[in-house]
Amino acid sequence: MKIPVICTTVLVEKSPQAIPLGAACIASSIKNNEYLAKQCDVSLFAISQEDESFCQEFYTNQLIQKCNNQKGIICFSVFVWNRIFLEKTSSFLRKKGFITIAGGPEVTANPESFSDFDYLVCGQGEESVPQLIEKIIKNNLQISNVNPHIIPSSKVQVENLTSPYLDGTLNLKEYDGALWELARGCPFSCSYCYESKGEKKVNLFLQERLERELDLFAKENISQVFVLDPTYNANKQRALHFLNLIAKKTPNTFYYFEARAEFIDKELARAFTKFPCAVQIGLQSSDENVLKLVNRNFDKNKFLKGINHLNQEGVIFGFDLIYGLPGESLQGFKKGIDFALSLYPNNLELFCLSVLPGTDLADRADDLHLNYQKEPPYHVINTNLFSEKDMKIAKEISNACTFFYNQGRAVAWFNSVCKVLKVKPSAFFENFAKYIFDNSIQTDCDFSHKQIEKIQLEFVKKQLEQKNLKKYILLSQDLIVLNGALSRTTDTGIFETVNLNYPAEYLLSPYASDFDFFVKNVKVKPNKVNTKNLY
């Protein structure tokens, strides 16, 4: 009877972006090992923290059942969000006679901090895990070590790796999406990233493999692909080549990229328009001196030039910002928000800084005055410039931005509303955070866009009334309602009829960005419009 080997992980959510790719890559490498293919029954198993049945007992029992009550080998893929949960699972399974192996970024960063696994595999595991399992089997599944045995990092030739998509380890239909690896490694050395101590080298997957995976994506007609390449446009010619290939093979699939704005020119921006996609850009801070402290370069002029190309070509893009960075205060973080939103991003993701173990930032934390949690998720508690109270305010601003701007799809009219209110975006979100609290609105609940829109309408109306700007209420309401309906039609394909106070063609014109000019020159004319007539 074959020995059961399960590659498993716990995902943070249920979405096409949350795919157990790391565990699947290990499972694929084991299945394609000639010796282990004869000795092992390999399977992939993942659950999400959002599953109704998610709990320690259910997960553990599922692993035992999948081993058919045999004493099997369990390979865990460990991340910040699932470390504690998986440690408890492993501790229980070891007592039952199972052999447990752990790998992933958490293990690689600080293996000495683990005690509840039999083996800890650092770095990429596609070669070292099969070799380890082979030794375990030849040793008749006997464990001689009481404490975890650490397997050091080994160099992996990515061109020799098997694809979990092509060999069927990952079922694309199950997730309706894919995490697509084009490369591993990063040419940069940002202090807060696990790659900060890496070899600053990018290893590229073979073009033949990537083309075959694209063909599979096309065959399965999946809806979206998240491209795993931290700086997709580091090599412009390669980036252009794959953009053209994607447009040819999967023109209807939505792609998500991570890119550096400084490397975007007109040609590249235009190539992003050949198929549906979005580009996420890691701004992190708008302060050059703050970014230097975390080994991140920032050329503001080149950055603005790249974003201008995206805006001119109509590319959907978003920014990432971090609060709690060394050398930055709450005021500096707010300036970053104001700078970012002045560029009309489709979304603005705001994160608390995590001082990840094994990173350059963790090594320099004391010198940089970073006080942070020593357990996952390793969030900064306070710095010499960012008090604990300010960190709480930053989190409230972050939640307000996510709900009002991102989930509320406010990009089309947000800056115009801020302008007429004479308030900066960061202050707008502070006000909205207070409104959320005063009205007991639980923003972490599952709101529909229509429900969020209702809250937006009420809040903006109150803000205009408080500043004696009632003459702009009808215009603001029209912009929110019309653009909201259009975004929902784009999202669902369902047309909507909306009631307006002004003609739709004027509301969708550049004139609507200047509230004062608009209300002076356009007469109120109640009407109905169907979004079908606006495409």
Side-chain angles (χ1 to χ4, degrees):
M1 186 177 290
K2 288 187 175 183
I3 298 166
V5 176
I6 301 177
C7 296
T8 183
T9 193
V10 171
L11 306 170
V12 71
E13 62 184 2
K14 295 176 71 173
S15 75
Q17 190 174 5
I19 293 174
L21 180 61
C25 287
I26 301 302
S28 176
S29 67
I30 298 170
K31 290 196 303 185
N32 285 279
N33 177 287
E34 188 175 352
Y35 173 80
L36 296 180
K38 298 176 182 177
Q39 300 291 327
C40 302
D41 181 14
V42 185
S43 62
L44 174 69
F45 175 61
I47 64 170
S48 164
Q49 293 176 350
E50 293 182 346
D51 288 342
E52 289 184 10
S53 54
F54 176 75
C55 69
Q56 200 87 48
E57 183 179 4
F58 173 80
Y59 180 59
T60 305
N61 288 338
Q62 284 291 303
L63 291 173
I64 294 172
Q65 289 176 21
K66 288 182 180 297
C67 288
N68 296 317
N69 295 313
Q70 288 180 259
K71 300 300 184 287
I73 300 172
I74 314 296
C75 302
F76 294 96
S77 186
V78 185
F79 297 88
V80 169
W81 60 82
N82 64 22
R83 172 176 176 166
I84 295 173
F85 185 91
L86 295 183
E87 284 179 316
K88 290 179 180 178
T89 303
S90 175
S91 178
F92 178 85
L93 290 174
R94 290 176 78 190
K95 293 174 184 176
K96 294 290 184 180
F98 289 83
I99 296 173
T100 66
I101 302 171
E106 277 286 288
V107 172
T108 301
N110 191 12
E112 290 80 9
S113 68
F114 287 83
S115 60
D116 293 308
F117 299 93
D118 292 308
Y119 296 94
L120 301 167
V121 177
C122 299
Q124 302 174 71
E126 284 95 342
E127 291 183 5
S128 51
V129 171
Q131 291 171 2
L132 171 61
I133 292 176
E134 186 171 339
K135 288 180 181 178
I136 292 172
I137 291 174
K138 289 179 178 178
N139 195 36
N140 294 317
L141 305 182
Q142 297 299 310
I143 298 292
S144 58
N145 47 294
V146 176
N147 296 317
H149 183 71
I150 298 174
I151 311 298
S153 297
S154 61
K155 289 190 176 182
V156 171
Q157 302 297 320
V158 298
E159 59 268 25
N160 296 329
L161 300 181
T162 56
S163 167
Y165 293 115
L166 296 177
D167 68 10
T169 302
L170 274 170
N171 183 355
L172 287 168
K173 290 182 179 178
E174 182 179 348
Y175 298 98
D176 191 32
L179 297 177
W180 191 31
E181 278 194 292
L182 301 188
R184 287 187 184 174
C186 181
F188 302 103
S189 54
C190 305
S191 297
Y192 47 77
C193 179
Y194 278 128
E195 295 282 354
S196 61
K197 292 183 177 181
E199 50 185 17
K200 315 300 178 287
K201 182 182 178 183
V202 177
N203 297 302
L204 306 176
F205 283 90
L206 290 176
Q207 184 171 321
E208 179 187 0
R209 163 181 165 155
L210 298 176
E211 289 195 24
R212 288 178 62 206
E213 287 177 330
L214 264 180
D215 289 335
L216 180 62
F217 298 164
K219 179 182 177 183
E220 298 294 340
N221 194 30
I222 58 175
S223 65
Q224 51 192 303
V225 174
F226 294 84
V227 178
L228 299 184
D229 187 333
T231 311
Y232 175 74
N233 58 334
N235 182 319
K236 178 188 170 182
Q237 293 309 314
R238 186 171 185 270
L240 284 171
H241 170 77
F242 278 103
L243 291 178
N244 291 330
L245 203 60
I246 289 168
K248 178 181 178 182
K249 289 180 177 287
T250 57
N252 299 316
T253 300
F254 199 101
Y255 282 77
Y256 297 86
F257 298 91
E258 294 181 15
R260 289 292 289 261
E262 293 90 332
F263 302 158
I264 294 173
D265 59 13
K266 190 171 184 178
E267 183 182 16
L268 193 60
R270 184 160 293 175
F272 279 120
T273 67
K274 302 303 181 184
F275 56 91
C277 74
V279 180
Q280 197 68 16
I281 294 163
L283 174 58
Q284 318 309 5
S285 171
S286 62
D287 189 319
E288 185 177 350
N289 293 321
V290 169
L291 291 173
K292 281 181 180 178
L293 287 175
V294 290
N295 296 333
R296 189 172 177 87
N297 296 324
F298 179 59
D299 187 319
K300 200 166 193 175
N301 290 330
K302 286 184 178 179
F303 184 92
L304 289 171
K305 194 172 182 179
I307 298 303
N308 186 48
H309 287 309
L310 294 178
N311 273 322
Q312 286 184 339
E313 297 297 330
V315 179
I316 296 173
F317 68 91
F319 293 134
D320 296 334
L321 279 177
I322 299 174
Y323 59 91
L325 286 168
E328 188 159 74
S329 63
L330 175 61
Q331 199 58 37
F333 173 62
K334 290 179 183 178
K335 286 182 179 178
I337 292 174
D338 298 336
F339 171 75
L341 289 178
S342 72
L343 302 175
Y344 294 86
N346 188 66
N347 66 285
L348 177 61
E349 306 296 337
L350 306 175
F351 303 98
C352 178
L353 176 64
S354 289
V355 183
L356 300 173
T359 61
D360 175 67
L361 191 66
D363 292 345
R364 297 191 292 129
D366 290 341
D367 293 337
L368 294 172
H369 310 288
L370 297 174
N371 176 30
Y372 65 98
Q373 301 167 344
K374 300 308 186 286
E375 299 291 335
Y378 312 110
H379 282 164
V380 165
I381 299 169
N382 63 275
T383 76
N384 60 323
L385 298 177
F386 222 126
S387 69
E388 195 166 345
K389 179 182 177 182
D390 287 345
M391 290 293 291
K392 183 175 182 293
I393 293 172
K395 183 178 181 179
E396 290 169 352
I397 291 173
S398 173
N399 292 338
C401 175
T402 299
F403 185 81
F404 192 98
Y405 190 87
N406 297 350
Q407 296 174 12
R409 308 173 190 176
V411 60
W413 47 266
F414 180 78
N415 281 328
S416 298
V417 168
C418 286
K419 182 180 178 181
V420 76
L421 286 169
K422 295 183 179 178
V423 63
K424 292 181 178 179
S426 57
F428 182 97
F429 292 135
E430 273 195 277
N431 293 335
F432 184 61
K434 184 177 185 302
Y435 179 82
I436 288 170
F437 179 80
D438 291 343
N439 290 275
S440 301
I441 299 172
Q442 302 297 318
T443 57
D444 56 348
C445 294
D446 190 16
F447 282 83
S448 69
H449 180 257
K450 201 86 180 236
Q451 290 172 318
I452 296 174
E453 183 181 279
K454 183 179 178 182
I455 295 171
Q456 289 172 328
L457 288 166
E458 292 172 352
F459 177 71
V460 171
K461 181 181 178 182
K462 285 184 180 296
Q463 293 293 296
L464 291 169
E465 287 174 342
Q466 288 173 9
K467 295 198 173 185
N468 198 26
L469 298 170
K470 294 181 181 179
K471 63 181 179 180
Y472 302 120
I473 290 175
L474 293 182
L475 173 56
S476 67
Q477 289 178 335
D478 274 9
L479 289 174
I480 293 170
V481 169
L482 180 58
N483 283 286
L486 286 169
S487 73
R488 290 190 295 274
T489 295
T490 300
D491 186 37
T492 66
I494 300 172
F495 298 113
E496 294 184 23
T497 297
V498 292
N499 296 311
L500 301 173
N501 299 288
Y502 295 99
E505 61 267 28
Y506 293 130
L507 292 168
L508 296 174
S509 74
Y511 299 121
S513 63
D514 187 335
F515 275 36
D516 190 53
F517 176 86
F518 191 96
V519 297
K520 285 180 180 178
N521 292 278
V522 181
K523 292 182 179 180
V524 173
K525 187 179 180 181
N527 65 99
K528 289 185 178 182
V529 64
N530 190 286
T531 53
K532 183 178 182 180
N533 300 320
L534 301 175
Y535 277 84

